[in-house]
Amino acid sequence: MDRSRLDIRSLAGMAAAFQKRIGAIQAAGSPGFDWYPYDSLGNFFVLADLLTGERRFLLDLIGNRPALDVGCGDGHIAFFLESLGCKVIAVDNPRTNYNQMQGVRALKAALNSSIEICEQDIDYDFRLPDLQFSVAIFLGVLYHLKNPFRALETLVTRSQYCLLSTRVTRFAPDRKTDLGALPLAYLVNETETNNDSTNFWIFTNPGLKRLIERSGWRVVDYASVGNSRDSDPITAQGDERAFCLAERAVAALTNGRLLSGWHQQETFEAWRWTEKKFAVVFPKVSRPGPHVLRLDFFLPDGRDRLSIACSINGTALAERTFVKSGHYRYEAAVPDPALTGRSVLAEFGLSDAFAPGDRDERELGIVVSSVQLIAVD
């Protein structure tokens, strides 16, 4: 189907129809576990009121890059987007998933789906593939996390946009203390929210916006539903949900995919250490014409001279030498014949690196803040 310029309100209607398809599969027989009981696809009707301008064309926003469905439940949103031609990775934690992820796997088989299912502890050791995603869908998850900062900082290293929803509050549990103007979060105890021990931080609206922005995102669309007059963090009557579309506020480390020779960064990833040899793969070049390979990096103290060599699909590029510690840019023109093929592999080699030692067991090369393959106008 032609999915371009499909308005979010049209998508909401299509999502409702797809929910009936899922319902028919679930009603066909007893799977031996309980299905996720909530209508995830109903969120599209809220998104229809949230998204503005060009962002109303959600599938155009997703484009050709894969999307993430984080905290996927039984994967309803992932399967729906796949039915529209999107590539989707569904992520959840079996320990906290409603049916230990049996539901998403059963639906994948029933729908003959090709989505990738990724088991991850989103709270403690949240890691994603070294891919760049278009949109991370992160609905109804944040208030179930002890470490919401970590989750949002992980997503911003991999996704251009984040569609997020979570419970928020304007008043304290006494419903008298007004918190609505302050950037705060209320930590619930295990019995306050329907005895659900997986609920933790309930932010005020200013608190949620500050969390999002301090995690490296920029809020572009924001709305709330439910009790938006005197919400509280614990009662069903006081339930208010915030929905937000955020855009990454910082440049991605690469417009390709990191391969070997890169050290994992545990927090907000504006840079990464490399080893002596490291590599990046870029998508097939669709636009003919001149390109340059650009590497922005920091050369740390301890080496007076460093040379960088690079090849693109086996074709050697110009070697560059850098003297003294400091911030530098390696840039080299890429010959057109080197850009043919299904992908573009860039392999770097340094003349020197710090050997593993007692203080750090890693081989350390340079600190890279950006590596890009760029078309030159």
Side-chain angles (χ1 to χ4, degrees):
M1 63 173 294
D2 181 10
R3 60 186 233 193
S4 64
R5 310 309 289 176
L6 195 59
D7 183 88
I8 185 63
R9 200 162 293 280
S10 299
L11 279 182
M14 297 169 70
F18 193 83
Q19 182 63 46
K20 292 181 180 179
R21 182 180 174 188
I22 290 175
I25 294 172
Q26 293 173 331
S30 175
F33 58 85
D34 292 330
W35 295 104
Y36 184 69
Y38 304 108
D39 178 12
S40 302
L41 290 171
N43 285 307
F44 277 83
F45 287 99
V46 181
L47 300 183
D49 293 326
L50 169 74
L51 301 179
T52 60
E54 288 296 303
R55 296 181 292 275
R56 295 186 59 78
F57 303 101
L58 178 61
L59 297 184
D60 291 7
L61 210 64
I62 293 174
N64 295 321
R65 286 187 292 171
L68 282 168
D69 183 8
V70 182
C72 65
D74 282 354
H76 298 182
I77 292 175
F79 295 123
F80 172 59
L81 291 177
E82 182 191 40
S83 75
L84 299 174
C86 301
K87 181 179 179 181
V88 189
I89 295 179
V91 183
D92 213 332
N93 184 355
R95 288 196 309 108
T96 56
N97 179 273
Y98 190 82
N99 49 43
Q100 295 75 55
M101 299 184 73
Q102 295 178 87
V104 65
R105 297 187 187 282
L107 284 177
K108 179 178 178 177
L111 293 165
N112 194 26
S113 166
S114 298
I115 71 163
E116 180 179 342
I117 298 173
C118 181
E119 296 185 5
Q120 278 285 301
D121 187 336
I122 301 168
D123 219 352
Y124 288 103
D125 192 26
F126 190 17
R127 297 173 184 267
L128 291 169
D130 275 327
L131 295 170
Q132 284 300 310
F133 299 92
S134 52
V135 178
I137 297 166
F138 197 43
L139 301 176
V141 179
L142 198 68
Y143 66 102
H144 292 296
L145 302 180
K146 294 179 182 178
N147 303 296
F149 246 117
R150 171 65 183 271
L152 287 172
E153 287 182 337
T154 299
L155 290 175
V156 82
T157 69
R158 296 287 183 268
S159 305
Q160 183 65 31
Y161 293 94
C162 181
L163 267 174
L164 176 151
S165 73
T166 190
R167 183 165 178 168
V168 291
T169 188
R170 297 173 189 263
F171 284 83
D174 62 9
R175 310 202 68 175
K176 296 178 182 178
T177 306
D178 189 345
L179 308 175
L182 299 174
L184 302 176
Y186 177 80
L187 177 60
V188 302
N189 67 38
E190 293 188 2
T191 62
E192 283 182 315
T193 52
N194 198 30
N195 291 316
D196 187 345
S197 62
T198 71
N199 291 345
F200 294 100
W201 300 104
I202 312 297
F203 289 90
T204 61
N205 283 291
L208 178 61
K209 291 177 181 178
R210 183 168 294 184
L211 171 70
I212 292 168
E213 291 166 353
R214 293 206 61 186
S215 300
W217 299 94
R218 178 175 63 90
V219 175
V220 291
D221 286 314
Y222 192 96
S224 67
V225 298
N227 186 345
S228 58
R229 183 175 60 85
D230 57 353
S231 57
D232 68 73
I234 62 173
T235 69
Q237 296 82 4
D239 195 323
E240 179 183 5
R241 305 289 167 126
F243 283 75
C244 171
L245 176 66
E247 183 177 14
R248 182 166 52 199
V250 293
L253 187 69
T254 181
N255 58 350
R257 177 166 58 91
L258 305 182
L259 293 179
S260 58
W262 299 87
H263 292 299
Q264 181 69 32
Q265 186 73 0
E266 295 297 333
T267 56
F268 180 74
E269 194 173 280
W271 51 267
R272 274 208 197 187
W273 274 102
T274 73
E275 298 177 355
K276 191 174 182 178
K277 293 182 178 180
F278 54 99
V280 187
V281 64
F282 299 96
K284 179 181 179 180
V285 172
S286 57
R287 174 184 171 186
H291 285 70
V292 297
L293 181 67
R294 182 177 296 166
L295 177 78
D296 293 318
F297 68 96
F298 176 72
L299 178 60
D301 290 329
R303 281 172 291 179
D304 294 331
R305 186 181 183 87
L306 181 82
S307 296
I308 298 181
C310 182
S311 66
I312 293 284
N313 286 345
T315 299
L317 304 186
E319 184 172 318
R320 300 278 188 265
T321 299
F322 304 88
V323 180
K324 297 183 180 181
S325 173
H327 293 273
Y328 293 103
R329 170 173 289 176
Y330 168 93
E331 186 169 292
V334 181
D336 284 347
L339 297 175
T340 59
R342 298 182 63 182
S343 60
V344 179
L345 175 64
E347 298 175 286
F348 293 87
L350 308 179
S351 60
D352 190 20
F354 294 116
D358 294 336
R359 296 184 61 184
D360 197 321
E361 298 180 352
R362 303 172 298 173
E363 179 183 72
L364 299 177
I366 56 177
V367 180
V368 173
S369 58
S370 177
V371 55
Q372 310 279 333
L373 182 65
I374 303 170
V376 180
D377 294 326

